[in-house]
Structures are given as structure tokens and as C-alpha cells.
Amino acid sequence: MSRPLFALVSASVLALGACAVGPDHKAPLTPISAQGAFVSAAQGPYSAEAPRDDWWRLFQSPTLDGLIAEALQKNKDLEIAAANLARVRAVLGESRAARLPSTTLSASGDWGRTAATTTGAPAPLDEVETYGTGLDVSYEVDLFGRVRRSIEAARADADAAEAMLDVTRVSVAAETARAFADACSANAQIAVAKRTLELQQETYDLTERQLAAGKGTGLDVARARTQLESARATLPPLNSQRDAALFRLAVLTGKPPAEVPAGVADCAQAPKVASILPVGDGASLLRRRPDVRQAERQLAAASARVGVATASLYPSVVLGASVGSVAPGVSDLNDDRALHFSAGPLISWSFPNVAVARSRIAQARAGTDMALAQFDKTVLTALEEVEGALTRYADELERHAALQTARDQSAEATRLARLRYEEGADSFLSVLDAQRSLAVLEAELARSDAELTNQQIALFKALGGGWARTAA
């Protein structure tokens, strides 16, 4: 190839190097109706203010603040997600390195004997020494964007892995708060059960005194003993529930179950947010939810891989240059006559099995369609989770208020029934029925207290936790 022709070919190759086959990714659109106010927010104690990043501080519990800070630093799921992010970023670094030229240094020394080819007399044998050095440089011109699309896919994978780390953070913060609340709620329910047990013990003692005084019956004593033991039977499951929450909390904070965080075992009341809950709107939710960001980045990676698959249909162009020296002795390697060099483009076209190549392109396009559907599903799921959490919390508030009223009325009914029995105006069965109703309502109210806290945590988790980033 003449020098002018070589220059023309090289310039043309470099000019075309900016091209890239395959689709350019565009962020998918979300329905306008999904970006406005939440439907269920109009029926509860909610505001349109954006949720706090550190939403757990709304509970105003220093113990909870410390536990979540510790979990975000030491949780093993977070360590796994962080290691995965580091791995994916290393893959991105490898993909970017494909833009750089590759070099090869070589040095050789050979000694050998060859038979001289002559006619007539026996041929003498020649012993030859040969030494050589060389430097080869090659650079793949990304003529059809294979390298560029590979980098795009790797970068999107890294963004998706980062979003997955944020998904894990949201989950760890919420589950830590839930485990703490479960332990506190179990203690509160244990306290209620113990009060009920004390009341049942007093009633049983009263029936025995009445029987000893000739005013009661053995049936009254048996009924009182039945309720006493029934109340006692509620304690073991609550103790197990508390211990399980404490064990779970230890693991969430990166410790063995035996190392329960200090101060948690004595928590007597689950924390609750007393103020109106800030929930924002649909648009802020979709910006904030890391799983939505992850799905969008996975879609970008799938789109880029269509370009990688398409580029395999086109030729590969490599610009290469080499320089070296070959001489019969080491001292002769610097001689100008031993020097050799070459430079020029290498154009190769493997003509792949077109059916196989097009099948791979079809696979990549189907992967893009699947990623798009997954993105749409993630958006809808995020909206559904928030709407459901808003409704459940508002309904539990209404239920809690009704239980509170019923419990207060039942306590008054129990007091009156006990007075009437002691005065002989009513049977002991009325006292037992009143006490049974009160015990049931006390337990239900304690469970409702726990459920309110859990519903608040579930709502904050659905809202995304506060790790919002702009997709790259």
C-alpha cells in the first residue's frame, strides 16, 4: 500500500470510529397519573412534604438511631452488596481499558545448526546465532461501536449495582427499626399479660375466700382457676416473640444472636411517630426509590448489549505498528541495517454465521423488552406498595381508636361487675365475663400499638428510605 493510500484509509477509519450500531438508550416515560399525589393520602394524617432521608429520627428514639447507624455500618447484607458493587466497577474498568492500545515487547536469542545445500561434495554444516528485539503496538478502532456499547453496558451495570446497594440500605434500616419495635412491643404486651394475670390471680383468691366463708361454690373457683391459667399461658409465646426480635436485631447489626444490643431488652414501649407523616407524591417517590433506579439502569445495560451483538456483524479494524531489530550478534542489534518496522491498518471480517449472529441480536432485543417490562412493573409495584401502606396505616389508626374506647368501657364494666358481685347483687359469672372481655381488649390494644409502629415503618420503607440519586 502506498503512503497516500495508507493515509487515506487510516483517516477514513478514524472518521468512522465515532459510529455505533444499535439503539441509543432513552429513559422510559412514566404515566402522568403516577406522578401526582397519592390517592390514599387524602384519607389519612399525611402531608405532601418530602419524607426525610433519616426517617427513623421521627420516632425520637436515641436507641433506635444508634441501632440503625450501627446496622448501616456493620450489616453483612450491606457488605455483600458493597463487594458486588466493587466487582462490577472492576468489570467497568476492564471494559474501559479496551479503548487503550495494546503493546507487546519481545526479545529472542536463537542458536542452531542447518545443513548447507550444495551439489557434489558432502555439504558442510552451518551453526548460526540470531538475536532479535521488537515492539508491537495495536489499537482496535471502534468502527461500529462494539467497545463503546460494551462500556455503556458495564457502566449501567455498575449504576444498577449501586442502586442495589441502596435497596439493601433501605431494607436494613427498615428491618432494624422493625426488629427494635417488635422487641419493645413484645415487652409491652408482656406487661399487659402480667397485669391481666395479676387481676386473674386476685379474682381466684377472692373466689377461694368466698368459698371458705360459705358464700361461693366450687364451680366459681374452677372457673376462676381456668381464666388464671389461660392468662398465664399467654406469657411464653410473648417471651419467645421478644427473644426472636432481639436475636434478629443482633444479626442485623452484625453480631451473633447472643450479643443482644445493650438497652434494647428493657424497652417497654414501641416508638411511634406522633406527628403527621410526610409522604411526598408519585414523582418524588419514583426519583427516590432505588429499585426503580436499578430497573432503569438494567434497561440501559440491556439496550447497550443490543449494540454489542449488532457490531459482531461488521468488520474489525485494528491499526498496528511494529519496530524491531534482528542481527547475528547482540552487539549488532543497534546497526541500522538490522532495524525493521511496519505500520498500517489490519481489516478483518470474519463473516460470522449470520443466523447465529441475528439470533444473538434477537436475544439482546428480547432482553431489552424484558428489562422494559421489569421497569414498568417496578414502577407500578412501588406505587402499589405506597398506596397500600397509606391505607393500612390509616385503617389501623381508626381501629386503634375504637379499641381504645372499647377497652376503657370494658374496664369500667369490670369494675362495676366486681362491685355488684361483692355486694351480692350479681353472680360471679358476670365478673368472669367482664374480666375475660377486658383481657381480650387489653391484648388487642397492645397488638394494635405494635401494628401502628410496624405500619409506619412499612410506609417509610415503601417511600424509599431517602437514598435518591439521578441515574447516569
Side-chain angles (χ1 to χ4, degrees), residues 287-322:
R287 288 194 302 269
R288 189 170 53 249
R289 287 267 299 217
D291 57 340
V292 173
R293 189 170 71 253
Q294 179 189 16
E296 191 277 332
R297 292 287 81 201
Q298 288 173 337
L299 174 60
S303 179
R305 289 190 173 94
V306 175
V308 174
T310 304
S312 65
L313 292 172
Y314 297 92
S316 172
V317 177
V318 177
L319 297 180
S322 65

Side-chain angles (χ1 to χ4, degrees), residues 53-179:
D53 289 350
D54 53 350
W55 52 265
W56 52 87
R57 297 190 184 277
L58 293 173
F59 289 99
Q60 298 182 347
S61 170
T63 302
L64 177 59
D65 296 344
L67 289 170
I68 290 182
E70 186 176 8
L72 292 177
Q73 183 180 11
K74 299 180 180 178
N75 181 267
K76 299 307 174 185
D77 286 333
L78 284 175
E79 290 184 8
I80 294 171
N84 179 63
L85 175 59
R87 180 190 63 81
V88 176
R89 283 176 173 170
V91 174
L92 173 59
E94 179 183 355
S95 298
R96 284 173 171 166
R99 286 177 168 174
L100 303 176
S102 60
T103 59
T104 303
L105 281 173
S106 63
S108 63
D110 296 318
W111 172 79
R113 174 182 292 177
T114 59
T117 56
T118 60
T119 58
L125 298 178
D126 295 333
E127 293 183 357
V128 179
E129 293 182 16
T130 304
Y131 299 91
T133 60
L135 170 64
D136 297 321
V137 179
S138 63
Y139 172 73
E140 179 181 354
V141 179
D142 196 20
L143 187 61
F144 296 100
R146 183 189 67 82
V147 175
R148 173 183 159 187
R149 295 302 192 193
S150 296
I151 294 173
E152 286 180 8
R155 183 184 297 113
D157 285 339
D159 292 340
E162 185 175 13
M164 185 62 208
L165 176 59
D166 290 342
V167 170
T168 308
R169 288 193 180 108
V170 171
S171 179
V172 167
E175 292 309 310
T176 301
R178 194 190 308 276

Side-chain angles (χ1 to χ4, degrees), residues 338-426:
L339 181 67
H340 67 84
F341 65 88
S342 65
L346 171 64
I347 302 176
S348 62
W349 199 344
S350 61
F351 287 98
N353 186 321
V354 175
V356 172
R358 295 197 180 280
S359 294
R360 290 174 179 170
I361 294 172
Q363 292 173 36
R365 286 176 176 165
T368 302
D369 293 341
M370 183 173 66
L372 178 58
Q374 182 62 47
F375 173 82
D376 292 339
K377 177 185 176 182
T378 303
V379 168
L380 295 177
T381 300
L383 294 168
E384 184 273 334
E385 287 178 355
V386 173
E387 294 286 2
L390 291 169
T391 298
R392 287 189 293 272
Y393 177 58
D395 289 344
E396 190 59 37
L397 277 174
E398 184 177 350
R399 176 174 178 267
H400 186 272
L403 285 171
Q404 181 77 51
T405 302
R407 194 278 310 268
D408 293 343
Q409 293 299 313
S410 181
E412 178 64 14
T414 300
R415 187 185 68 84
L416 294 175
R418 192 181 182 92
L419 288 175
R420 287 175 60 83
Y421 170 70
E422 291 175 352
E423 294 173 357
D426 209 343

Side-chain angles (χ1 to χ4, degrees), residues 160-249:
E162 185 175 13
M164 185 62 208
L165 176 59
D166 290 342
V167 170
T168 308
R169 288 193 180 108
V170 171
S171 179
V172 167
E175 292 309 310
T176 301
R178 194 190 308 276
F180 174 70
D182 286 347
C184 296
S185 298
N187 279 335
Q189 293 178 63
I190 288 171
V192 170
K194 286 182 176 179
R195 288 197 301 270
T196 301
L197 181 61
E198 290 173 0
L199 179 62
Q200 297 294 348
Q201 184 68 57
E202 292 175 3
T203 301
Y204 173 69
D205 293 341
L206 174 62
T207 57
E208 285 197 319
R209 289 195 300 269
Q210 294 279 41
L211 180 62
K215 296 181 179 180
T217 66
L219 180 59
D220 291 340
V221 174
R223 286 172 173 170
R225 181 63 183 272
T226 298
Q227 291 201 174
L228 173 63
E229 296 306 323
S230 296
R232 198 189 312 277
T234 62
L235 283 171
L238 293 175
N239 289 328
S240 297
Q241 179 181 326
R242 177 198 56 200
D243 292 344
L246 293 174
F247 296 152
R248 190 166 74 252
L249 189 57

